[in-house]
Amino acid sequence: MARIELSGIQKKWGAIWGVRDVNIDIADEELIVFLGPSGCGKTTTMRMIAGLEDPSEGEIRMDGEVMNDVDARDRDVAMVFQGYALYPNMTIYENIRFPLRMRDVPKVDQDRLVREAAAMVELGDLLDRKPGALSGGQRQRAALARAVVRKPQVFLMDEPLSNLDAKLRQAMRIQIKHLQRQLKITTVYVTHDQIEAMTLADRIVIMEGGLIQQIGTPDEIYSDPANTFVAGFIGAPPMNLIEGRMEDGIFTAPSIRVEGLIRNLSGPVTLGIRPEDCHVAGAEAHVEGTVFGVEPTGDMTYLTINAGDALIEVKADRDYRSDLDVPETVAFDPARIAFFDTTSGQRIR
Amino acid sequence: MASQRRRKGESLFIRYLILGTWALFCLAPVLWFLSIGLRPRTEIITPQPIYWPTFSLDAWHMIWSDWPMAKYLRNSVLAIIGSVVIDLVLAIPAAFSLARYEYRGRDDIGFYILSTRMMAPAIVAIPIFFLFRNMGLLDTVWALMLVYAAINLSIVTWIIRSYMIDIPKELEDAARTDGASDLRILWEIIIPAILPGIITAAVIAAIFAINEFLFTLLIASTPNAYTMSVALANFTGGSDGLIYNAIALVAFLAFVPVFLVVVAIQKHLSRGLTMGAVKG
Ligand SMILES: Nc1ncnc2c1ncn2[C@@H]1O[C@H](COP(=O)(O)OP(=O)(O)O)[C@@H](O)[C@H]1O
Ligand SMILES: [Mg+2]
């Protein structure tokens, strides 16, 4: 059980930045998810926590103790790798037992612990197989069992589900969350899949270009994005971001006019509104455009409106149907509108 | 469908025909040796062509009773196996270091190790002769063992390194977070994973050692240290004149074990040879 603090962490290889500046305080027993596009430094950050990579700058503390100079094998951290990294020449049983052997757990306990861990991920009858004879999902569970078997202080999981198909991914997601709650082990989970992040996380850390863009609960990240990157990254489809001007509490952009907004803002701003906070309107419309696309999904219909310079995504009623290129009007829920600085992308509150 | 299948069958047949012809061409001398080795001496040196050869084990009995063939064989086996063991013990840690650690001059050291293979061996023949003489190792199997090991060390290191580079780094990282030291990682993870590579390197080294002639001739001056390769060269029969059938039989017997091993691991062998040589 451990609290992890990263302060001023940087990682650089020659001229290549892996991580520019990362500060996070991860609480004991928390499940924190690093989310960001490929190459943003998630794996690098995680490897530094594991001790597989030395930070160029900054300090890593666990329970207040500085860990920078502690070797990976002396940190009580278990990692699940993207490619599972099961030892190919050992059976699943030997794979799960390996960390116990390396840590000199008494022989009498080893067998019991291996079987407990295997049972936890429902792998009991596959213990004699080699990893090569297992399916992707089974390998994934074997890797999990190997990580949980020694009850580490910290779990690190690097995109553990990215090689599985969608259905299996959901099943494993639930299993991982269940396991983490049951064992109460501080967990850092890396993914580029926002659904995974939203469903698993106590808190999400959004990263981009080696920098943290926002840290918050899934609700905060979703409904209160700190900048246009977060707003445009989270949500499917993501938040509409419309560049325009503000004057006397009126926001204007081509084909768009929103009145009655806060008056202390003026000049160029970016208006953000989520597709589910837009609706097809009669009178009182904010957008007068034409229908660009209609995509029924069964439980709702994705409607895309062509509004001058911008395409606006609307989650419309599931019965909504329309021909293309006909005029249509859309209204925003004023309480849900967010503003961002057009040049810096930062949220204006 | 049917005609397509026939065409496929035809192309397969042609392929076998070409490869079979080539194999026959390559193996003909070997089979010729076998045929000479299993015939009586009188039949071999007659100028008349013989269409129905006579089978005889004369040569077989002769090589075991009249010459210390068992001793030559023992010398060969001892020197070769010993040299391969030395090579593996030295090359595996060296390859691990070259493949995994980052340190100043690593690539230079790698190149230096490889460069020992580029030099013409004759250049160091005389120094090595004096070296072993001063050590009192001339005309011993131990000297042969050391020389073979030295000759092959670079190629064994390089082949093993190329296999190690191919192992996903994640595997080592996993072992490290599981609490394994570098030595345990090498012993429990890396070596089992590259066992085919290690066997390939060992076989290649053994083949080079079997065929080694120059240094063996230099070091082995009496049957005390003669190996098969040098014994063969000296094996002319003395007062009996040239005993072609015995020579042929010994040559054939020296060839068979290597042939069998190569057939058994040929898939790995081509990979070992090309990777060791080409891949930096
Ligand atoms: N060993 C390394 N040497 C040089 N650059 C690296 C190394 N590892 C990662 N990087 C670079 O650091 C950046 C972050 O990588 P990574 O942490 O793997 O991203 P993510 O896991 O978020 O996809 C990338 O631009 C990557 O190319
Ligand atoms: Mg990654």
Side-chain angles (χ1 to χ4, degrees):
Chain A
M1 321 303 110
R3 170 181 174 202
I4 307 168
E5 293 157 276
L6 305 180
S7 48
I9 295 290
Q10 297 180 9
K11 180 68 189 181
K12 217 176 165 181
W13 292 275
I16 304 170
W17 282 102
V19 167
R20 279 169 199 273
D21 183 25
V22 164
N23 297 278
I24 318 173
D25 193 343
I26 303 169
D28 189 17
E29 297 183 19
E30 184 171 14
L31 200 173
I32 199 154
V33 175
F34 292 178
L35 175 64
S38 182
C40 71
K42 308 180 296 286
T43 299
T44 305
T45 308
M46 173 169 275
R47 290 173 58 83
M48 287 190 283
I49 298 174
L52 295 170
E53 213 78 71
D54 290 326
S56 312
E57 294 290 333
E59 223 172 54
I60 298 171
R61 287 185 297 274
M62 285 186 196
D63 285 336
E65 201 181 323
V66 179
M67 300 301 276
N68 289 42
D69 294 329
V70 178
D71 205 75
R73 66 196 180 104
D74 299 320
R75 301 187 189 188
D76 198 1
V77 167
M79 189 153 169
V80 177
F81 293 82
Q82 186 171 357
Y84 314 142
L86 295 170
Y87 310 126
N89 304 287
M90 302 183 193
T91 62
I92 299 305
Y93 183 90
E94 288 164 345
N95 261 281
I96 301 175
R97 192 165 68 114
F98 188 78
L100 301 177
R101 267 201 304 127
M102 292 304 118
R103 280 162 208 276
D104 295 323
V105 172
K107 269 234 161 58
V108 286
D109 296 332
Q110 288 185 7
D111 183 66
R112 179 179 51 82
L113 290 169
V114 169
R115 285 176 197 286
E116 273 174 22
M120 231 182 270
V121 295
E122 292 159 32
L123 210 64
D125 42 352
L126 298 174
L127 287 175
D128 294 332
R129 302 240 192 121
K130 292 267 177 75
L134 262 51
S135 71
Q138 291 166 337
R139 282 181 216 184
Q140 175 52 48
R141 281 184 280 151
L144 266 181
R146 187 178 63 185
V148 304
V149 71
R150 63 186 160 92
K151 312 259 171 7
Q153 299 278 315
V154 178
F155 268 154
L156 303 175
M157 304 193 189
D158 191 0
E159 312 212 13
L161 305 183
S162 61
N163 293 337
L164 304 181
D165 62 51
K167 210 171 155 190
L168 203 53
R169 215 157 41 217
Q170 187 185 357
M172 286 303 302
R173 215 161 65 202
I174 294 166
Q175 202 156 26
I176 287 176
K177 186 156 188 172
H178 186 83
L179 215 59
Q180 196 268 343
R181 287 286 182 267
Q182 191 184 345
L183 299 171
K184 299 189 194 312
I185 292 174
T186 312
T187 301
V188 180
Y189 187 104
V190 162
T191 182
H192 63 260
D193 177 356
Q194 49 169 308
I195 303 291
E196 241 170 77
M198 297 295 284
T199 49
L200 278 173
D202 292 322
R203 281 191 304 160
I204 296 177
V205 178
I206 304 239
M207 293 183 68
E208 154 69 358
L211 290 170
I212 292 180
Q213 301 295 326
Q214 188 171 2
I215 304 180
T217 64
D219 287 342
E220 284 165 4
I221 298 273
Y222 191 80
S223 49
D224 207 5
N227 55 40
T228 47
F229 176 81
V230 177
F233 190 72
I234 294 286
M239 188 178 263
N240 292 301
L241 295 169
I242 306 157
E243 289 182 19
R245 286 191 70 82
M246 207 53 174
E247 227 74 64
D248 300 325
I250 302 169
F251 175 87
T252 50
S255 310
I256 299 170
R257 184 181 168 89
V258 188
E259 295 181 14
L261 298 164
I262 31 172
R263 292 188 164 270
N264 60 356
L265 218 58
S266 67
V269 293
T270 297
L271 179 149
I273 184 87
R274 293 220 170 264
E276 61 269 35
D277 299 324
C278 306
H279 44 267
V280 178
E284 304 280 307
H286 297 133
V287 182
E288 292 182 353
T290 55
V291 175
F292 188 77
V294 178
E295 302 165 283
T297 65
D299 61 339
M300 71 173 92
T301 302
Y302 290 120
L303 166 63
T304 309
I305 297 288
N306 189 346
D309 294 345
L311 286 179
I312 295 172
E313 296 285 346
V314 177
K315 283 187 184 170
D317 195 83
R318 73 181 194 193
D319 298 327
Y320 181 89
R321 293 292 182 277
S322 167
D323 291 331
L324 301 188
D325 297 324
V326 298
E328 184 60 281
T329 54
V330 168
F332 301 150
D333 178 349
R336 300 283 191 172
I337 290 174
F339 287 106
F340 301 90
D341 186 304
T342 299
T343 36
S344 73
Q346 291 305 309
R347 180 79 175 272
I348 304 169
R349 292 178 194 274
Chain B
M1 262 320 266
S3 81
Q4 227 169 21
R5 198 175 308 147
R6 175 137 26 90
R7 204 167 328 130
K8 209 167 170 189
E10 270 168 29
S11 92
L12 204 65
F13 174 75
I14 291 172
R15 216 179 297 173
Y16 276 116
L17 191 72
I18 294 173
L19 290 176
T21 312
W22 174 242
L24 200 67
F25 181 74
C26 293
L27 282 175
V30 177
L31 297 174
W32 188 244
F33 263 52
L34 183 63
S35 141
I36 294 176
L38 295 178
R39 278 189 282 164
R41 197 171 167 210
T42 46
E43 199 173 287
I44 294 162
I45 47 180
T46 171
Q48 262 73 48
I50 291 168
Y51 299 104
W52 292 106
T54 328
F55 177 77
S56 148
L57 283 176
D58 284 357
W60 174 262
H61 296 306
M62 190 187 245
I63 58 176
W64 297 109
S65 57
D66 296 4
W67 284 276
M69 199 52 60
K71 181 151 198 204
Y72 301 154
L73 199 63
R74 192 208 61 150
N75 286 344
S76 274
V77 168
L78 209 65
I80 289 162
I81 291 182
S83 75
V84 169
V85 169
I86 293 172
D87 278 338
L88 291 182
V89 166
L90 296 177
I92 290 173
F96 186 53
S97 159
L98 290 174
R100 275 305 182 249
Y101 297 117
E102 306 231 337
Y103 47 89
R104 189 190 306 237
R106 180 187 66 172
D107 295 344
D108 297 336
I109 292 173
F111 179 76
Y112 166 72
I113 291 176
L114 196 61
S115 71
T116 60
R117 186 77 204 178
M118 301 172 184
M119 168 185 63
I123 293 172
V124 289
I126 293 182
I128 281 186
F129 180 83
F130 283 110
L131 183 71
F132 283 129
R133 198 187 60 179
N134 294 342
M135 290 163 73
L137 287 177
L138 273 189
D139 205 26
T140 64
V141 173
W142 311 113
L144 296 177
M145 205 184 276
L146 290 174
V147 165
Y148 295 165
I151 290 172
N152 289 323
L153 186 58
S154 60
I155 193 125
V156 172
T157 307
W158 216 249
I159 292 172
I160 293 178
R161 172 184 168 275
S162 80
Y163 274 84
M164 283 182 178
I165 286 176
D166 277 3
I167 295 183
K169 183 139 196 317
E170 272 195 352
L171 225 51
E172 270 182 65
D173 290 338
R176 191 155 286 130
T177 49
D178 280 346
S181 64
D182 282 5
L183 266 183
R184 306 237 12 198
I185 291 173
L186 178 61
W187 187 248
E188 299 210 29
I189 310 292
I190 310 273
I191 290 181
I194 60 159
L195 210 52
I198 292 177
I199 293 171
T200 304
V203 169
I204 290 173
I207 291 171
F208 283 148
I210 289 172
N211 292 330
E212 208 293 321
F213 187 75
L214 177 69
F215 285 101
T216 315
L217 193 62
L218 195 71
I219 289 164
S221 46
T222 71
N224 186 36
Y226 275 6
T227 62
M228 294 295 278
S229 66
V230 169
L232 258 179
N234 287 328
F235 190 53
T236 52
S239 57
D240 289 345
L242 285 174
I243 35 167
Y244 289 116
N245 54 350
I247 294 173
L249 193 59
V250 171
F252 180 76
L253 292 178
F255 161 82
V256 167
V258 182
F259 179 75
L260 291 181
V261 170
V262 169
V263 168
I265 66 153
Q266 56 168 329
K267 211 171 65 194
H268 298 299
L269 206 59
S270 60
R271 185 191 129 114
L273 281 169
T274 52
M275 289 192 65
V278 179
K279 202 177 161 188

